[in-house]
Amino acid sequence: MGPYLLGLRLSGRRVLVVGGGRVAQRRVPALLEAGAEVTVVSPSVTPALDDLIAAGRVTWHARPYEVGDCDGAWLVQACTDDRSVNTAVAAEAEAKRVWCVRADDKDASAAWTPATGRVDEISVAVTAGGDPRRAAGIRDAVVGALRDGTVDARRNRTKPVGVALVGGGPGDPGLITVRGRQLLAQADVVVADRLAPRALLDELAPDVELIDAAKVPYGRSLPQETVNELLVDRARQGKFVVRLKGGDSFVFGRGGEELIACAEAGIPVTIVPGLTSAVAVPAAAGVPVTHRGVSQEFHVISVHVAPDDPRSTVDWPALARSQGTLVLLMALERLPKVAEALIRDGRSPETPVMVVQDGTLPTQRAVTASLSTVADRVSAAGIRPPAIVIVGDVVRIGQEVEMVRAERLP
């Protein structure tokens, strides 16, 4: 017969764990998280358990199991690698009408420990006929569906309110944070940017209002003031609004302006940081923005105006003199002037540069050149926005990695 599943509230209740090996190491943290008062009986314990004991979170009797250890326990876990000991522990527990889980014999065990997971206030527990691997696999699938919103999260009675500023990551929909995807699945309204992971929008429920807030370079654009008004208006209607952007909302994403607008209107805001393209795209192209012995700093610059434009607030001479990596966003149209300014102010014309288009997406491609030739190379290759420009010796690290890989190919 199948088991009768029950959620035990163990807070303040004594739980006995006999054995101090790897099985006990897996089970004790979950018992502690449930608030149980855990006693471990074992001649020795793993380093991880020893750390919990030293912190005063677990009581340890450094000896073999003895009859009477089950006294006062609400639950017993027999986790030794000695079948005779586990049998004796289970027999004592059975005689005292205490539930006992045997790690070594599912058929002889009075209870099974399910594979468990938790997402917010939802707990998931799976048994699979005593097969722990199968149960864990099913558990992982259910928990993953809860986290990314595949399971209908909009039926939640405690759905978030106000506005969530969600950074969607560099482009690949798999790189949005778990929290971001979860909130997106609960949205009534989504205000999405052009660089937000568009594939995620196909997963929205049909009744979700989708507002296109794309800002196309030199093309159609929704003014920021209008975006702010939309966020406030929909939230005041009692709808949960997700502002979905590419990268991180607070890295050249104007998230601060939206945060202020909502605060002034009394709208609660949830902030979900995103993986900024300034770091993620170089990494996806095999280029670390820092590397020991090469660069111990990196600078992220928005090049929405050229270096010689009076509106520019960037100290280009200081950047040229620095030895750090430069990561340039929105720089493609002004790349000739950027290269000219950096060379004029002290950067070597031979400094390696990589330009990456559509970073993290299937259409990603890159061009590598020197600072003096990069503008012409990019033009000849037909590189188009969105693209990230990486300036510095770290580009050579990526080239070295590619060379090593090529040498190891059969």
Side-chain angles (χ1 to χ4, degrees):
M1 292 184 179
Y4 180 82
L5 298 181
L6 187 69
L8 297 181
R9 303 180 68 182
L10 294 174
S11 181
R13 292 181 167 88
R14 181 174 181 265
V15 175
L16 172 67
V17 177
V18 181
R22 288 179 297 175
V23 175
Q25 179 178 308
R26 290 199 304 268
R27 295 188 179 178
V28 167
L31 293 169
L32 292 175
E33 189 175 341
E37 295 180 357
V38 178
T39 297
V40 172
V41 174
S42 178
S44 61
V45 295
T46 67
L49 287 173
D50 196 27
D51 187 53
L52 293 172
I53 293 164
R57 301 189 62 193
V58 173
T59 300
W60 179 30
H61 297 308
R63 56 169 175 76
Y65 158 77
E66 297 175 356
V67 175
D69 282 338
C70 293
D71 290 346
W74 292 74
L75 176 67
V76 175
Q77 298 265 356
C79 303
T80 77
D81 57 5
D82 187 325
R83 183 177 179 83
S84 63
V85 173
N86 291 339
T87 300
V89 172
E92 181 188 354
E94 184 77 13
K96 294 178 177 176
R97 297 189 176 183
V98 179
W99 289 108
C100 178
V101 180
R102 285 189 62 164
D104 63 331
D105 190 338
K106 68 181 182 67
D107 296 321
S109 184
W112 294 336
T113 298
T116 61
R118 187 174 179 85
V119 179
D120 295 332
E121 75 282 0
I122 301 173
S123 295
V124 175
V126 180
T127 62
D131 183 340
R133 292 187 178 180
R134 185 182 182 199
I138 296 171
R139 181 271 319 275
D140 291 343
V142 174
V143 169
L146 286 169
R147 283 177 174 163
D148 64 23
T150 304
V151 172
D152 189 3
R154 298 183 71 212
R155 296 180 182 178
N156 189 344
R157 294 181 180 178
T158 59
K159 187 174 64 176
V161 297
V163 172
L165 303 180
V166 176
D172 182 341
L175 296 178
I176 189 173
T177 63
V178 170
R179 181 61 171 160
R181 192 157 189 169
Q182 186 181 56
L183 291 179
L184 187 63
Q186 295 176 295
D188 299 308
V189 180
V190 176
V191 182
D193 268 359
R194 178 177 65 95
L195 298 180
R198 310 295 292 185
L200 295 177
L201 303 180
D202 291 337
E203 300 176 3
L204 298 176
D207 61 336
V208 174
E209 181 184 7
L210 178 59
I211 299 174
D212 188 351
K215 292 180 172 64
V216 180
Y218 312 110
R220 297 174 56 186
S221 179
L222 192 65
Q224 185 62 46
E225 294 74 16
T226 303
V227 174
N228 296 346
E229 292 169 2
L230 285 167
L231 298 178
V232 171
D233 174 71
R234 297 303 192 272
R236 281 178 169 167
Q237 293 179 28
K239 298 178 179 180
F240 175 52
V241 185
V242 168
R243 176 68 168 115
L244 182 64
K245 302 190 178 195
D248 182 273
S249 301
F250 287 8
V251 180
F252 304 122
R254 305 186 76 168
E257 297 173 48
E258 294 164 358
L259 177 61
I260 291 170
C262 290
E264 290 176 345
I267 303 297
V269 176
T270 301
I271 298 171
V272 182
L275 186 59
T276 175
S277 59
V279 175
V281 170
V287 177
V289 293
T290 62
H291 192 77
R292 187 174 61 179
V294 177
S295 176
Q296 61 182 23
E297 60 180 311
F298 69 97
H299 308 265
V300 181
I301 305 101
S302 168
V303 194
H304 64 282
V305 294
D308 58 356
D309 192 301
R311 294 171 295 171
S312 176
T313 60
V314 178
D315 190 345
W316 288 101
L319 292 174
R321 292 191 302 269
S322 79
Q323 299 300 309
T325 305
L326 307 184
V327 181
L328 312 179
L329 311 183
M330 297 172 278
L332 211 55
E333 299 295 330
R334 289 159 286 277
L335 193 52
K337 289 189 175 182
V338 168
E340 178 185 343
L342 290 172
I343 292 171
R344 182 189 63 234
D345 292 324
R347 279 267 178 162
S348 168
E350 300 306 313
T351 301
V353 181
M354 178 181 284
V355 182
V356 185
Q357 175 185 319
D358 293 341
T360 76
L361 295 174
T363 52
Q364 174 180 311
R365 63 186 185 124
V367 168
T368 303
S370 66
L371 191 56
S372 62
T373 62
V374 65
D376 291 339
R377 290 287 305 276
V378 164
S379 177
I383 298 292
R384 304 292 300 169
I388 302 292
V389 180
I390 311 147
V391 181
D393 289 337
V394 291
V395 171
R396 292 196 178 98
I397 305 301
Q399 294 174 310
E400 290 174 10
V401 170
E402 289 302 316
M403 291 175 60
V404 171
R405 287 175 175 168
E407 292 172 355
R408 291 182 177 272
L409 290 176

